[in-house]
Amino acid sequence: MGNAHATDPDYWNVTDDPGVRNLDWMQRLPSSTSVALLSIPGTHDSMARDGGPAVWTQSLSLLVQLMVGVRFFDIRCRHFNDGLPIHHEAYYQNANFDEVLQTTIGFLDSHPSETVFMRVKEEYIASGNTRSFREQVQISLNRYPGRFWTLNRIPTLGESRRKIVILDNFAGGAMGIAWDGIDLEDNYSTIFEFKWFYVRNHLNRARGSTWSPAMFITFSSFASALPRDLARGMNPKLHSYVRENRGRLGIIASDYPGPKLIGDIIAHN
């Protein structure tokens, strides 16, 4: 996948499957816990594995990400010919939204203690459609009745086990937790030193704000160079922070997270 020259699979991943499994890590957590108080490993542009080094942001497939312990996914759909192909900007990722849902629901059927958080975002140029993006998303969700959290409030873990919590990042009416209601760090047009400053400060706020009902999401990804090279620098630094500090981290969405980084985020719960 273009990452053959990586040297540190613990923190940014090299292989198509590192062999590490965190299948049921939410099982031990009380069902009364607000999901906003969890520490959750996630991926940025979760399906971007085609199109070349400037486009790739992950080496692991969706299913392997789930098995390793990732529970937040950044899913970007182009609205094209009344379908929802997965894109990273102009680049089709050889998958569609229905396949993403099928894989995720299948995993949750086998691991009913878990919940998955899914940002759904409209990507690239819409073309050839007879209905709205929201209507198209709803058609896909209707194939799995009862398997989605679509209310605009943060659920408890008990309310959301075996479900996909939709984080609504598109126009056309509420369908899940509103993206603009999330406490978000996503400064992506910056340099490494500034980005780490933003990431660290946002994680510090998440750790120090356990009284807050808000959901925190910190993107450690940014766009000043090839994603794989940036992850090679960012992820070990992020891992050191995770190891050295305790408390709620919220969702951390990364490019190329390795199994050690994922596992130590999980250990915060």
Side-chain angles (χ1 to χ4, degrees), residues 47 62-63 66 70-71 73 75 97-111 114-118 144 147-148 162-165:
M47 300 292 289
L62 175 62
L63 180 57
L66 283 160
V70 173
R71 295 292 181 268
F73 297 93
I75 301 299
F97 188 51
D98 286 336
E99 291 168 336
V100 169
L101 296 183
Q102 182 179 33
T103 297
T104 307
I105 294 292
F107 177 84
L108 291 172
D109 282 343
S110 298
H111 305 280
E114 306 304 286
T115 187
V116 166
F117 302 84
M118 188 174 290
Y144 302 95
R147 301 307 300 275
F148 302 94
R162 201 169 168 262
K163 293 181 180 179
I164 298 172
V165 177

Side-chain angles (χ1 to χ4, degrees), residues 172-191:
M175 184 188 291
I177 298 171
W179 190 251
D180 60 8
I182 291 168
D183 196 316
L184 182 68
E185 158 44 39
D186 191 19
N187 287 288
Y188 59 87
S189 183
T190 187
I191 61 173

Side-chain angles (χ1 to χ4, degrees), residues 4 48 59 73 92 131 142 153 198 201 206 215 220 224 229 263:
S59 60
F73 297 93
Y92 173 53
R131 46 187 170 252
N142 287 346
R153 71 168 175 86
Y198 298 140
N201 284 359
M215 178 175 283
S220 65
S224 62
D229 294 335

Side-chain angles (χ1 to χ4, degrees), residues 140-158:
S140 293
L141 268 56
N142 287 346
R143 297 189 174 102
Y144 302 95
R147 301 307 300 275
F148 302 94
W149 180 267
T150 57
L151 300 178
N152 188 15
R153 71 168 175 86
I154 296 173
T156 64
L157 187 53

Side-chain angles (χ1 to χ4, degrees), residues 79 82-84 131-140:
H79 193 198
D82 284 334
L84 295 171
R131 46 187 170 252
S132 70
F133 182 85
R134 187 194 188 284
E135 289 169 334
Q136 194 65 52
V137 170
Q138 187 66 64
I139 288 171
S140 293

